[in-house]
Amino acid sequence: MLHFTGNDEADALLAEKPMALLIGFALDQQVPVQTAFSGPLKIKQRLGTLDPSTIAGTDPGELDRVFREKPAVHRFPGNMAKRVQELAAVVVDEYGGRAERVWTDAADGADLRRRLSSLPGFGEMKVTALGSVLAKRFDVAVAQDLVPNHPTLGDVDSPQALEDYQAAKRAHKAEWLASRGRSA
């Protein structure tokens, strides 16, 4: 069980379905962690599946509608519908529709980093965060090299740990902005 949303069904889906985990990370941008990682369950409930082939092959207008339905999947539903569809297409084209192959087929940490970095919307922060989750929550050996020396979602093992992580992240961001003469 992952503890990213506060919703047992959404958290279980993230832990059980690799595509849900990838989608959650794709959505983890400019919204709270709970919103991003609740997205896969909303998509599954509205589309009926998280199958990468189905998502990749869904009419873009229909997928946009799915993302905009209230409550919206994301703060930027149109952009994120497009990103998730691109992600699904990569999973289909490069990994035979099996999201877990992104990490199970990785030769080593460098290969895993390259694979994650090539996913739509996955920059360095998402790569290390997902690597940390894979290493610490799913015991993926090749992901150990991606674990940074600061707290990430990989350290979240309870609802309280999520609150602590988010508080530390806010403090770090405020400190970072202050060091650049900006405010949060």
Side-chain angles (χ1 to χ4, degrees):
M1 175 77 97
L2 296 176
H3 299 276
F4 295 173
T5 70
N7 174 312
D8 289 347
E9 186 179 4
D11 286 340
L13 183 65
L14 295 169
E16 295 165 7
K17 299 289 183 190
M19 190 65 190
L21 188 61
L22 287 181
I23 290 171
F25 272 95
L27 296 174
D28 189 19
Q29 182 176 330
Q30 298 182 2
V31 295
V33 169
Q34 294 90 335
T35 301
F37 288 95
S38 293
L41 179 60
K42 288 179 186 171
I43 295 165
K44 183 179 183 222
Q45 289 169 335
R46 296 171 188 179
L47 198 58
T49 185
L50 290 180
D51 173 66
S53 297
T54 302
I55 294 171
T58 298
D59 174 75
E62 172 61 13
L63 197 58
D64 185 85
R65 184 200 62 72
V66 164
F67 272 66
R68 289 180 190 279
E69 184 180 312
K70 303 290 184 203
V73 170
H74 194 275
R75 179 177 169 196
F76 303 110
N79 288 340
M80 289 300 156
K82 209 175 294 180
R83 177 169 293 161
V84 167
Q85 192 161 45
E86 291 168 358
L87 173 64
V90 169
V91 169
V92 170
D93 295 345
E94 296 182 25
Y95 301 102
R98 294 188 40 225
E100 71 277 8
R101 286 186 54 206
V102 172
W103 52 89
T104 60
D105 291 0
D108 54 28
D111 186 32
L112 178 59
R113 181 179 300 280
R114 181 195 58 73
R115 289 163 176 260
L116 294 175
S117 295
S118 72
L119 298 174
F122 279 66
E124 184 57 25
M125 287 177 64
K126 286 187 189 182
V127 168
T128 57
L130 178 52
S132 183
V133 169
L134 292 171
K136 294 180 177 186
R137 299 288 144 237
F138 295 99
D139 297 319
V140 175
V142 295
Q144 292 296 330
D145 292 346
L146 277 64
V147 177
N149 59 2
H150 58 80
T152 69
L153 281 173
D155 299 302
V156 173
D157 59 3
S158 69
Q160 183 60 51
L162 178 60
E163 287 182 34
D164 295 345
Y165 164 74
Q166 288 181 299
K169 187 175 173 182
R170 282 190 298 274
H172 176 75
K173 183 178 180 182
E175 189 177 296
W176 181 79
L177 288 170
S179 73
R180 284 159 178 67
R182 297 165 33 200
S183 61

